[in-house]
Amino acid sequence: IANVSAQAISGIVDIREPSNGLIGGLADLPDLGPLSIQANATGPRNAQAIVMALAAGALRADARGTVDLVTRRAQLDLTASAPAMAPGPGIAWQSLALEGHMHGSFEKPDLDAHLEISQPRDDGGTAQSLKADIEGHGGNAQVSAAIADLKWQGLPDDFFGGAPISLKADVTFGTADIPVDFQLSHPLATAKGHATLGAGVKGTATLTLHTLA
C-alpha cells in the first residue's frame, strides 16, 4: 500500500508466509521456517522515516533510519541475529550476528558494519568462525575478514594448518566501475589483485606460494 504526492511518500509492506513458502522455495531455503517482512515509510521526501522488521524462522533483523530523496542522503541502522539454523541444503551455522550503520550520500556513504558467524557450514566445507568488518568514509571503504580453522571438502582436515585465511580490501564507491584492491593471506599463499564490481565483476590477481619450513 503506498500514497505518493509531490511533497511526501508513505507506504506499508506486510508479507507473511508459512514454512515451505514461495520465497523460501525461490531462494532454495526450504527449511528457513515461517517468514514475515514488515516495513513502512512515512514523511516528506526529504525526511522519510524508514522502519523494517524481518523474521525468518529464528532469524531476526531490524532496520530503521531516515532517507532524504531530494539530496540523496540517508542515515540507516541495521541489526540481525540468529541462533543455530540450517535453512537450506548444505547451509548451516551455530550463531549469526550483524550490526551495520550507514550515513551520508547514496553514492559515497560512510559505513560501519560487523558480521560474525560461528561454525558456518556449506556443501564445500566448514569453519570455526567467519568474521568481517567494513569501515568507510566519503566513498572509500576498508574491508577486513577472516575465516578460522577452514576445512574444505576433498582436502585433508589439516591442510590449512589451523591458520586463518584473511582478506583485506579497499573499495571506492561513487564511480561506475567500483574499483577494489584486495589481498588474501595465509601462511601457504598470498593473492593480491584488483577488481571492478560495476557492470559485471572483472579482475586480475597474482598468487604467491610460500615455502614452509
Side-chain angles (χ1 to χ4, degrees):
I1 301 173
N3 294 301
V4 181
S5 70
Q7 292 77 33
I9 299 175
S10 64
I12 298 174
V13 174
D14 191 347
I15 300 173
R16 302 169 191 264
E17 69 173 27
S19 299
N20 302 309
L22 175 63
I23 296 176
L26 292 174
D28 196 24
L29 300 173
D31 300 317
L32 183 62
L35 177 68
S36 170
I37 303 173
Q38 296 173 297
N40 67 72
T42 58
R45 289 176 178 267
N46 65 345
Q48 283 276 293
I50 306 294
V51 178
M52 187 197 78
L54 179 147
L59 184 148
R60 298 290 183 270
D62 179 88
R64 59 189 63 236
T66 57
V67 176
D68 183 344
L69 297 174
V70 177
T71 63
R72 295 176 57 81
R73 299 178 66 84
Q75 181 169 335
L76 299 170
D77 302 303
L78 168 68
T79 60
S81 63
M85 292 180 67
I91 301 174
W93 58 75
Q94 191 63 29
S95 65
L96 178 151
L98 169 67
E99 181 176 354
H101 310 277
M102 174 266 186
H103 63 90
S105 70
F106 292 176
E107 293 79 11
K108 297 181 178 181
D110 290 350
L111 301 169
D112 181 14
H114 175 73
L115 170 67
E116 186 165 346
I117 304 175
S118 174
Q119 298 180 33
R121 173 173 57 84
D122 67 12
D123 285 334
T126 65
Q128 184 63 31
S129 65
L130 167 62
K131 299 179 181 180
D133 291 277
I134 181 170
E135 183 174 349
H137 302 282
N140 297 311
Q142 292 73 49
V143 179
S144 61
I147 301 175
D149 195 20
L150 177 65
K151 294 179 174 60
W152 197 254
Q153 184 176 349
L155 296 176
D157 284 351
D158 61 352
F159 181 83
F160 294 104
I165 299 172
S166 63
L167 167 69
K168 300 287 186 182
D170 293 315
V171 186
T172 302
F173 298 101
T175 62
D177 54 352
I178 312 178
V180 180
D181 293 303
F182 63 89
Q183 176 173 312
L184 275 168
S185 301
H186 184 270
L188 291 174
T190 299
K192 294 183 179 181
H194 176 83
T196 56
L197 307 180
V201 178
K202 301 177 182 178
T204 59
T206 300
L207 177 65
T208 303
L209 301 177
H210 303 308
T211 300
L212 302 180

